[in-house]
Amino acid sequence: MRVAVIQLAYTDSEPMAERIHRVASLVESQEGADLVVLPELWSAGGFDYPAWPDKAQDVEGPVAQALSEAAANLGAYVHAGSIIEKSGEPGAEGRGLWNTSMVFDPDGELVGTYRKIHRFGFGNGEPKLLEAGEDVVVLDFDEPSSGDESGSNSVKVGLATCYDLRFPELFRKQVDEGAEIFVIPAAWPAARIAAWRTLLQARAIENQVFVIACNTAGTHAKTEMGGNSAVISPSGEVLAEAGRGERVLTLDIDVDEVRAARESFPVLSDRRL
Ligand SMILES: NC(=O)CCC(=O)C(=O)O
């Protein structure tokens, strides 16, 4: 499976409509990719809290339309990062806004959404403005190459977002639902990038999965983003890693490595539940 991780840089001065157009073109240019991944809240601005209500949209809004079209034109799965989702339903806390990831299939169909469960901000930002997601999401992707020995040719992909990375129990639940890859879009600041790198490796090692993590670059809302998007193997090897600036990481991963790692070192079967 060829993966393209688009570590996007943006500033406060780029209008949202221009950014959507730029990002959709970048996605479409990833020829040969089977899965393209974008960062968290790239359209609304990960730390631009005051802008969120105005930039909120539903899962059929401008970001969804542009990325659905880009996925269909490219013929690849696209994890569109996340949007501030405004839904007709008020939600448990009456706010009606969520930090919601969207995934499109190679026909441009929306095949999954994930509402971020753990809200970042310590009383400000997400906990003040957004609802918390409630559902663990693991999607089935068609594997582009031939299937494994069992004849199966689908891959199970678990979705999480940024701050979720600090909560290992979410990822264990995804593994219990069969996850072989975790896809994690983020807007993780430079100030805590050492923790980001360590946690990505930890989640890969303890769950024996591929971790595909797409962070934000650049500085917006007075916050320098940390970059260092990465793809980590089921044994914790860093297969590709970006630096601080805008960059696309492209590489092939073999999902059979997950099955092989779990067979040769069956740590998950030693769990005591
Ligand atoms: N957008 C986020 O969830 C930021 C998380 C973060 O900065 C941290 O966990 O540290």
Side-chain angles (χ1 to χ4, degrees):
M1 174 185 272
R2 179 156 299 173
V3 176
V5 177
I6 301 182
Q7 177 172 291
L8 198 71
Y10 57 81
T11 62
D12 300 318
S13 62
E14 184 181 29
M16 184 166 81
E18 281 177 27
R19 194 177 305 158
I20 294 174
H21 182 70
R22 176 168 75 91
V23 169
S25 303
L26 254 174
V27 169
E28 283 190 36
S29 68
Q30 304 309 313
E31 212 175 305
D34 300 301
L35 168 63
V36 181
V37 184
L38 290 166
E40 180 188 26
L41 293 182
W42 55 267
S43 57
F47 276 75
D48 196 1
Y49 306 139
W52 286 0
D54 279 350
K55 291 184 173 167
Q57 49 194 280
D58 67 25
V59 295
E60 293 171 354
V63 172
Q65 284 168 28
L67 273 295
S68 154
E69 201 178 310
N73 289 342
L74 181 65
Y77 285 95
V78 173
H79 185 307
S82 66
I83 55 168
I84 298 294
E85 179 200 353
K86 180 163 58 182
S87 137
E89 307 278 315
E93 294 172 67
R95 297 176 187 146
L97 298 177
W98 289 263
N99 181 339
T100 302
S101 293
M102 302 182 290
V103 178
F104 298 93
D105 76 5
D107 295 322
E109 293 296 318
L110 182 66
V111 289
T113 59
Y114 164 70
R115 287 172 165 171
K116 186 177 182 180
I117 291 175
H118 302 97
R119 292 168 295 179
F120 176 75
F122 313 117
N124 266 315
E126 292 184 328
K128 206 165 167 188
L129 299 169
L130 306 183
E131 306 274 344
E134 290 172 358
D135 298 322
V136 175
V137 177
V138 178
L139 302 177
D140 266 311
F141 282 15
D142 293 328
E143 206 171 355
S145 49
S146 59
D148 65 11
E149 281 164 16
S150 69
S152 148
N153 61 353
S154 81
V155 183
K156 293 215 174 264
V157 180
L159 306 187
T161 307
C162 202
Y163 188 50
D164 282 333
L165 185 56
R166 295 185 184 269
F167 300 86
E169 61 276 15
L170 168 63
F171 297 90
R172 211 19 91 77
K173 280 197 175 131
Q174 294 181 2
V175 165
D176 287 339
E177 292 187 19
E180 299 161 301
I181 299 177
F182 298 151
V183 179
I184 310 171
W188 193 290
R192 293 183 292 280
I193 208 64
W196 158 262
R197 297 177 78 206
T198 303
L199 291 168
L200 291 178
Q201 274 185 297
R203 298 296 86 85
I205 293 167
E206 72 200 358
N207 295 297
Q208 299 180 299
V209 294
F210 281 100
V211 168
I212 301 173
C214 183
N215 199 13
T216 305
T219 297
H220 72 277
K222 299 196 178 109
T223 311
E224 187 191 352
M225 296 285 102
N228 281 88
S229 297
V231 179
I232 322 269
S233 81
S235 60
E237 191 189 345
V238 179
L239 302 173
E241 187 174 30
R244 262 311 144 75
E246 183 157 304
R247 162 96 197 269
V248 181
L249 297 176
T250 306
L251 76 162
D252 293 319
I253 61 170
D254 178 358
V255 184
D256 285 342
E257 276 182 38
V258 173
R259 296 143 199 166
R262 289 176 180 176
E263 258 172 51
S264 66
F265 194 79
V267 62
L268 290 171
S269 58
D270 281 336
R271 290 165 71 192
R272 303 199 34 104
L273 300 169

